[in-house]
Amino acid sequence: MMTTGQPSQTALMSAAARAAHLLVDDTPPIFADTLARTFLGERADELLGYHRSYGEHPVLSGARTTAVTRSRYTEDRLAELAGRGIDQYVILGAGLDSFAYRSGPADRVRVFEVDKPATQRWKRALLAETGTTVPPPVVFVPVDFEKESAPSLADHLARAGFDPARPALVGWLGVTMYLTPEAIGQTLDVISGFAPGTELIVEHLLPAEDRDEAGRSYAELVMAAAAEQGEPWRTFLGVEQMEALLREHRLLPVEFARQRDTVGPAEWERTDTLRPFELSVLARASVPAR
C-alpha cells in the first residue's frame, strides 16, 4: 500500500497493542485508542491476529499493558493541563500516535508530532488513504536525529510554530531505551530551555536488578527481538539515575509513576491477563522558574 517507507517495527507493535486492547481484553478498557487499528494500514489483520490467537502470552499481554498504561497516564495529564490553559503538546517519536485525530481536548491543543521524515510521510499517506481528517492544530515536525544534533529540535519546533515562551507538555514515550545517555541528555537540555511550567513525561526502562520476575522475562524476550530488528535497547535507568539525569539537565522531577500507578487500584481487578509489572517507569518533570 505504501511506497514511502515504513514506520519502525516498534511503532507498529505499539499501535497493534493499543488496538488489540479493545479486541481481546475486558471492558472497561484502561485506554481506548479507537484509531490504532486504522493506523496499522494493510498490516492490521496480521498484527492483530497474533493478539487474537495468542493474547494471553506474556509478551503480548505485557505489550498491551505497557502501551495502554503509558498512553492513559500521559493523556490524563494532558487533559489536566489543557484545563489549566496549556495548549501546546509536543510528541517526541510520535510514530503512530493518534491523539490528535480522536475526540477529546485536541481541538484546544496544538499538537507537534516529531519523528523521522520517512515515518511521517508514511503516516500522512495513510491518513489520506483512510480519509482520516488532520485537524488544523496538528503540525508535523520532521527531524532525523541520526543526521542532525538534538539541539536542532528547538529550531525545527520554532519554525513549525511552537512558542517556547509558553508552557507545553512534552511526551517522550517508548524512545529513550533506544538512545545513548548522551543523546537523552541533549534532548533534555532542549526541553529545559522551554518556558517555566512546561512538563515532560518520559518513559525509561529499568535495569535488570530493578525489574520483577515478569519484567525480567519480558525484557529477555523482547530485547532480543528488538536487536534482531535493528532496534537494540541501549539505556536502562533506575529511578534514582533518572532523577539525577533530570536534575543534571535543569529539570525538576515531580513524580515517578510505575505501571500500577497509572490507574486506580480497582481498575487492576481484572479477569483478563493484563497485570502491572516492573519494567518501565514514567518520569514526570517540570521546567522550574528561572
Side-chain angles (χ1 to χ4, degrees):
M1 178 176 64
M2 297 294 171
T3 60
T4 53
Q6 293 276 331
S8 71
Q9 189 70 7
T10 53
L12 286 166
M13 294 300 102
S14 294
R18 297 193 304 272
H21 178 51
L22 299 179
L23 299 175
V24 303
D25 295 320
D26 292 343
T27 57
I30 290 175
F31 179 75
D33 188 339
T34 54
L35 283 177
R37 178 188 172 89
T38 297
F39 282 15
L40 294 173
E42 64 183 7
R43 296 196 61 187
D45 289 342
E46 170 202 350
L47 295 174
L48 295 179
Y50 297 130
H51 287 271
R52 285 193 173 104
S53 299
Y54 311 106
E56 295 185 357
H57 190 283
V59 167
L60 292 176
S61 62
R64 296 197 303 278
T65 302
T66 300
V68 300
T69 54
R70 68 190 182 192
S71 293
R72 165 75 174 269
Y73 179 86
T74 303
E75 293 194 17
D76 279 356
R77 186 59 186 163
L78 177 61
E80 291 181 29
L81 294 175
R84 301 178 191 176
I86 289 181
D87 61 358
Q88 299 186 110
Y89 179 32
V90 178
I91 310 176
L92 299 180
L96 301 179
D97 188 277
S98 68
F99 164 76
Y101 314 91
R102 290 183 267 110
S103 59
D107 58 342
R108 294 182 280 123
V109 176
R110 195 168 194 195
V111 181
F112 298 86
E113 295 196 5
V114 181
D115 214 327
K116 293 181 179 180
T119 298
Q120 294 197 333
R121 286 193 297 270
W122 192 91
K123 185 175 185 176
R124 297 180 79 164
L126 180 63
L127 290 168
E129 290 186 10
T130 58
T132 303
T133 301
V134 179
V138 177
V139 182
F140 294 95
V141 186
V143 179
D144 190 341
F145 288 117
E146 294 178 358
K147 299 179 180 178
E148 304 179 63
S149 61
S152 68
L153 171 62
D155 295 332
H156 284 290
L157 283 169
R159 286 195 292 270
F162 177 77
D163 185 354
R166 291 174 27 242
L169 175 65
V170 180
W172 200 12
L173 309 178
V175 177
T176 62
M177 62 285 295
Y178 302 106
L179 305 176
T180 64
E182 293 74 20
I184 296 170
Q186 288 179 350
T187 299
L188 293 178
D189 274 337
V190 173
I191 296 168
S192 69
F194 294 167
T198 291
E199 287 196 3
L200 164 69
I201 297 175
V202 54
E203 181 184 22
H204 60 99
L205 287 188
L206 294 168
E209 61 270 19
D210 292 343
R211 303 173 200 145
D212 59 11
E213 183 177 351
R216 286 191 293 270
S217 176
Y218 180 93
E220 288 173 5
L221 294 170
V222 176
M223 185 162 50
E228 289 178 1
Q229 295 162 2
E231 298 177 294
W233 290 357
R234 301 179 186 277
T235 297
F236 308 92
L237 298 165
V239 169
E240 291 183 357
Q241 291 172 300
M242 176 54 88
E243 180 175 7
L245 187 63
L246 291 167
R247 292 186 184 278
E248 178 185 347
H249 295 281
R250 305 179 303 283
L251 290 164
L252 180 64
V254 176
E255 180 180 32
F256 292 90
R258 300 175 185 271
Q259 289 181 358
R260 64 175 176 268
D261 303 321
T262 57
V263 300
E267 291 190 66
W268 288 121
E269 296 176 6
R270 310 182 63 88
T271 58
D272 56 30
T273 56
L274 296 196
R275 300 291 183 273
F277 61 108
E278 295 294 309
L279 173 73
S280 59
V281 174
L282 297 168
R284 181 161 66 91
S286 65
V287 177
R290 299 181 178 91

